[in-house]
Amino acid sequence: GAGVSQSPRYKVAKRGQDVALRCDPISGHVSLFWYQQALGQGPEFLTYFQNEAQLDKSGLPSDRFFAERPEGSVSTLKIQRTQQEDSAVYLCASSLELAGPLNTDTQYFGPGTRLTVL
Amino acid sequence: LAKTTQPISMDSYEGQEVNITCSHNNIATNDYITWYQQFPSQGPRFIIQGYKTKVTNEVASLFIPADRKSSTLSLPRVSLSDTAVYYCLGLTDSWGKLQFGAGTQVVVTP
Protein backbone atom coordinates (compact mmCIF):
# COMPACT_ATOMS: atom_id res chain seq x y z
CA GLY A 1 0.00 0.00 0.00
CA ALA A 2 0.98 3.63 -0.31
CA GLY A 3 3.10 5.16 2.37
CA VAL A 4 3.28 8.74 3.55
CA SER A 5 3.86 11.11 0.68
CA GLN A 6 5.04 14.70 0.76
CA SER A 7 5.15 17.41 -1.84
CA PRO A 8 7.04 19.12 -3.15
CA ARG A 9 10.19 17.09 -2.53
CA TYR A 10 12.33 20.19 -3.02
CA LYS A 11 11.46 23.83 -2.60
CA VAL A 12 13.63 26.87 -3.11
CA ALA A 13 12.29 30.13 -1.78
CA LYS A 14 13.59 33.64 -1.63
CA ARG A 15 13.81 35.14 1.81
CA GLY A 16 10.49 36.66 2.71
CA GLN A 17 8.37 34.38 0.55
CA ASP A 18 5.61 32.20 1.93
CA VAL A 19 5.73 28.45 1.37
CA ALA A 20 3.26 25.60 1.82
CA LEU A 21 4.34 22.01 2.30
CA ARG A 22 1.89 19.16 1.88
CA CYS A 23 1.66 15.81 3.62
CA ASP A 24 -0.55 12.90 2.62
CA PRO A 25 -0.56 10.40 5.49
CA ILE A 26 -1.37 6.74 5.23
CA SER A 27 -5.11 6.36 4.79
CA GLY A 28 -6.90 5.86 8.07
CA HIS A 29 -4.06 7.03 10.27
CA VAL A 30 -5.34 9.10 13.13
CA SER A 31 -2.14 10.74 14.29
CA LEU A 32 0.03 13.05 12.21
CA PHE A 33 3.32 14.66 13.19
CA TRP A 34 5.56 17.26 11.60
CA TYR A 35 9.30 17.33 12.26
CA GLN A 36 12.12 19.63 11.14
CA GLN A 37 15.53 18.20 10.37
CA ALA A 38 18.55 20.46 10.01
CA LEU A 39 21.59 19.23 8.13
CA GLY A 40 23.51 16.65 10.15
CA GLN A 41 20.98 16.62 12.98
CA GLY A 42 18.14 14.37 14.01
CA PRO A 43 14.55 15.39 13.36
CA GLU A 44 12.96 17.76 15.84
CA PHE A 45 9.27 17.73 16.68
CA LEU A 46 7.15 20.63 15.42
CA THR A 47 3.50 19.77 15.89
CA TYR A 48 0.98 16.96 16.34
CA PHE A 49 -2.55 16.37 15.06
CA GLN A 50 -5.11 13.91 16.22
CA ASN A 51 -7.53 13.74 13.31
CA GLU A 52 -8.24 17.43 12.58
CA ALA A 53 -7.34 18.69 16.04
CA GLN A 54 -3.92 20.21 16.57
CA LEU A 55 -3.15 19.04 20.08
CA ASP A 56 0.48 20.08 20.39
CA LYS A 57 2.27 22.87 18.57
CA SER A 58 4.96 23.41 21.15
CA GLY A 59 7.75 22.72 18.68
CA LEU A 60 6.84 25.38 16.13
CA PRO A 61 9.81 27.77 16.22
CA SER A 62 7.89 30.97 15.65
CA ASP A 63 4.48 32.38 14.79
CA ARG A 64 5.54 32.33 11.14
CA PHE A 65 4.91 28.58 11.20
CA PHE A 66 1.38 27.35 10.87
CA ALA A 67 -0.02 23.86 10.31
CA GLU A 68 -3.47 22.57 9.57
CA ARG A 69 -5.28 19.33 8.89
CA PRO A 70 -8.83 20.49 8.23
CA GLU A 71 -10.43 17.16 7.31
CA GLY A 72 -8.29 14.89 9.39
CA SER A 73 -6.28 13.52 6.49
CA VAL A 74 -4.02 15.76 4.37
CA SER A 75 -1.97 18.28 6.31
CA THR A 76 -0.24 21.46 5.24
CA LEU A 77 2.67 23.16 6.95
CA LYS A 78 2.89 26.81 6.03
CA ILE A 79 5.84 29.05 6.67
CA GLN A 80 5.33 32.77 6.23
CA ARG A 81 8.08 35.27 5.42
CA THR A 82 10.71 32.55 5.18
CA GLN A 83 14.14 33.18 6.67
CA GLN A 84 17.45 31.48 5.92
CA GLU A 85 17.33 29.64 9.24
CA ASP A 86 14.16 27.90 8.03
CA SER A 87 16.25 25.92 5.53
CA ALA A 88 15.86 22.29 6.53
CA VAL A 89 14.10 19.07 5.63
CA TYR A 90 10.52 18.98 6.83
CA LEU A 91 9.29 15.50 7.65
CA CYS A 92 5.76 14.30 8.11
CA ALA A 93 4.88 11.10 9.96
CA SER A 94 1.62 9.34 10.65
CA SER A 95 0.55 6.55 12.94
CA LEU A 96 -2.57 4.47 13.10
CA GLU A 97 -3.61 4.96 16.67
CA LEU A 98 -4.25 7.85 18.97
CA ALA A 99 -1.02 9.12 20.45
CA GLY A 100 -0.67 9.39 24.16
CA PRO A 101 1.35 8.31 27.16
CA LEU A 102 2.85 4.87 26.75
CA ASN A 103 1.73 4.75 23.15
CA THR A 104 4.20 2.61 21.26
CA ASP A 105 2.58 2.80 17.87
CA THR A 106 5.04 3.00 15.00
CA GLN A 107 5.33 6.30 13.20
CA TYR A 108 5.68 6.08 9.42
CA PHE A 109 7.66 8.87 7.86
CA GLY A 110 7.43 10.44 4.45
CA PRO A 111 10.52 11.28 2.37
CA GLY A 112 10.47 14.89 3.48
CA THR A 113 10.52 18.25 1.73
CA ARG A 114 13.90 19.91 1.48
CA LEU A 115 13.41 23.67 1.84
CA THR A 116 16.20 26.01 0.86
CA VAL A 117 15.76 29.69 1.59
CA LEU A 118 18.07 31.98 -0.34
CA LEU B 1 11.68 11.94 28.82
CA ALA B 2 14.69 9.66 28.49
CA LYS B 3 17.73 11.52 27.17
CA THR B 4 19.86 9.16 25.12
CA THR B 5 23.56 9.13 24.26
CA GLN B 6 25.05 7.09 21.44
CA PRO B 7 28.29 7.10 19.45
CA ILE B 8 28.53 9.55 16.61
CA SER B 9 29.82 7.04 14.09
CA MET B 10 30.81 3.43 13.57
CA ASP B 11 32.56 1.72 10.69
CA SER B 12 32.17 -1.91 9.71
CA TYR B 13 32.88 -4.36 6.92
CA GLU B 14 30.32 -6.38 5.06
CA GLY B 15 29.30 -9.56 6.82
CA GLN B 16 30.24 -8.36 10.27
CA GLU B 17 27.92 -7.86 13.20
CA VAL B 18 27.42 -4.26 14.27
CA ASN B 19 26.47 -3.41 17.83
CA ILE B 20 25.43 0.13 18.73
CA THR B 21 25.09 0.88 22.43
CA CYS B 22 22.85 3.66 23.63
CA SER B 23 22.95 5.11 27.15
CA HIS B 24 19.77 6.33 28.79
CA ASN B 25 20.63 6.76 32.46
CA ASN B 26 17.49 8.72 33.28
CA ILE B 27 15.05 6.32 31.72
CA ALA B 28 11.65 6.38 33.39
CA THR B 29 9.57 3.39 34.33
CA ASN B 30 7.18 4.02 31.46
CA ASP B 31 9.83 4.56 28.79
CA TYR B 32 10.23 2.18 25.88
CA ILE B 33 13.40 2.15 23.82
CA THR B 34 12.90 2.53 20.11
CA TRP B 35 15.36 2.51 17.25
CA TYR B 36 14.90 4.15 13.86
CA GLN B 37 17.05 3.96 10.74
CA GLN B 38 17.47 6.78 8.24
CA PHE B 39 18.96 6.62 4.76
CA PRO B 40 20.01 9.78 2.92
CA SER B 41 17.11 11.69 1.42
CA GLN B 42 14.57 9.50 3.20
CA GLY B 43 12.53 9.77 6.36
CA PRO B 44 13.39 7.64 9.40
CA ARG B 45 12.13 4.07 9.42
CA PHE B 46 11.20 2.08 12.51
CA ILE B 47 13.52 -0.83 13.22
CA ILE B 48 12.75 -2.26 16.63
CA GLN B 49 11.33 -1.44 20.03
CA GLY B 50 11.66 -2.98 23.46
CA TYR B 51 11.07 -2.48 27.16
CA LYS B 52 13.39 -5.04 28.73
CA THR B 53 15.48 -8.16 28.04
CA LYS B 54 15.75 -9.08 24.38
CA VAL B 55 13.66 -8.42 21.33
CA THR B 56 14.42 -9.83 17.90
CA ASN B 57 12.84 -9.29 14.52
CA GLU B 58 13.85 -9.92 10.93
CA VAL B 59 16.07 -6.84 10.87
CA ALA B 60 17.80 -6.60 14.22
CA SER B 61 18.00 -7.56 17.86
CA LEU B 62 17.67 -5.26 20.82
CA PHE B 63 19.25 -6.07 24.15
CA ILE B 64 18.16 -4.20 27.27
CA PRO B 65 19.80 -5.14 30.59
CA ALA B 66 17.87 -5.38 33.82
CA ASP B 67 18.67 -1.84 34.98
CA ARG B 68 17.51 -0.48 31.60
CA LYS B 69 20.13 2.28 31.68
CA SER B 70 21.46 1.23 28.32
CA SER B 71 20.46 -0.78 25.30
CA THR B 72 22.31 -2.34 22.38
CA LEU B 73 21.07 -2.59 18.84
CA SER B 74 22.62 -5.54 17.05
CA LEU B 75 22.68 -5.74 13.26
CA PRO B 76 23.75 -9.22 12.15
CA ARG B 77 25.92 -9.64 9.06
CA VAL B 78 25.63 -6.11 7.72
CA SER B 79 25.67 -5.32 4.04
CA LEU B 80 26.48 -2.13 2.16
CA SER B 81 22.78 -1.25 2.22
CA ASP B 82 22.87 -1.02 6.01
CA THR B 83 24.89 2.20 5.73
CA ALA B 84 22.61 4.70 7.44
CA VAL B 85 22.07 6.79 10.55
CA TYR B 86 20.61 4.88 13.48
CA TYR B 87 18.67 6.70 16.19
CA CYS B 88 18.01 5.49 19.71
CA LEU B 89 14.97 7.13 21.23
CA GLY B 90 13.27 7.10 24.58
CA LEU B 91 9.59 6.84 23.90
CA THR B 92 7.51 8.76 26.30
CA ASP B 93 5.72 12.07 26.27
CA SER B 94 2.20 13.33 26.32
CA TRP B 95 1.58 12.73 22.63
CA GLY B 96 4.18 10.11 21.77
CA LYS B 97 6.31 12.59 19.87
CA LEU B 98 9.72 11.19 19.08
CA GLN B 99 12.79 12.87 20.55
CA PHE B 100 15.71 12.25 18.22
CA GLY B 101 19.35 12.89 19.04
CA ALA B 102 22.10 13.16 16.45
CA GLY B 103 22.15 9.40 15.88
CA THR B 104 24.97 7.04 14.95
CA GLN B 105 26.29 7.09 11.40
CA VAL B 106 27.12 3.52 10.42
CA VAL B 107 29.28 3.08 7.35
CA VAL B 108 29.65 -0.39 5.88
CA THR B 109 32.47 -0.97 3.42
CA PRO B 110 33.31 -3.96 1.24
Side-chain angles (χ1 to χ4, degrees):
Chain A
V4 178
S5 61
Q6 294 186 245
S7 61
R9 288 295 312 276
Y10 303 91
K11 176 69 178 177
V12 178
K14 293 182 179 179
R15 191 173 58 182
Q17 282 185 331
D18 297 348
V19 298
L21 313 180
R22 177 187 170 106
C23 171
D24 284 81
I26 295 173
S27 178
H29 277 199
V30 170
S31 296
L32 185 145
F33 301 80
W34 282 97
Y35 295 84
Q36 179 191 58
Q37 185 170 25
L39 189 63
Q41 302 297 316
E44 294 205 3
F45 170 82
L46 293 177
T47 187
Y48 161 64
F49 288 86
Q50 184 181 103
N51 295 309
E52 69 278 5
Q54 188 176 22
L55 298 185
D56 188 343
K57 53 182 181 180
S58 62
L60 296 177
S62 77
D63 58 7
R64 295 185 295 104
F65 287 70
F66 171 77
E68 61 183 4
R69 192 185 185 199
E71 298 180 358
S73 55
V74 171
S75 177
T76 303
L77 177 67
K78 298 179 179 178
I79 309 174
Q80 298 176 325
R81 305 181 302 282
T82 52
Q83 304 294 315
Q84 286 186 323
E85 61 262 28
D86 300 335
S87 295
V89 174
Y90 291 86
L91 294 162
C92 174
S94 70
S95 64
L96 180 61
E97 297 177 359
L98 297 176
L102 308 184
N103 180 285
T104 60
D105 195 25
T106 299
Q107 291 186 22
Y108 297 87
F109 283 79
T113 294
R114 180 177 296 279
L115 172 65
T116 302
V117 181
L118 302 177
Chain B
L1 181 67
K3 183 177 184 298
T4 60
T5 303
Q6 55 184 121
I8 294 174
S9 64
M10 296 184 73
D11 296 330
S12 180
Y13 293 104
E14 278 190 296
Q16 289 188 329
E17 180 181 79
V18 171
N19 296 306
I20 308 172
T21 296
C22 176
S23 298
H24 27 82
N25 291 319
N26 297 322
I27 191 169
T29 303
N30 294 335
D31 284 347
Y32 279 72
I33 300 302
T34 305
W35 287 79
Y36 276 75
Q37 173 193 55
Q38 187 175 27
F39 298 112
S41 300
Q42 294 187 26
R45 182 177 74 114
F46 172 88
I47 300 178
I48 198 167
Q49 183 180 86
Y51 184 79
K52 62 181 179 180
T53 63
K54 177 182 175 182
V55 179
T56 298
N57 61 23
E58 65 278 5
V59 176
S61 294
L62 179 60
F63 300 90
I64 304 174
D67 65 7
R68 304 201 327 119
K69 293 186 181 301
S70 68
S71 59
T72 299
L73 175 73
S74 179
L75 305 173
R77 299 179 298 282
V78 294
S79 64
L80 298 178
S81 63
D82 292 316
T83 293
V85 178
Y86 292 82
Y87 296 98
C88 165
L89 301 95
L91 186 62
T92 187
D93 207 272
S94 55
W95 305 116
K97 60 192 179 191
L98 300 176
Q99 302 280 348
F100 291 85
T104 297
Q105 172 70 63
V106 172
V107 177
V108 181
T109 54

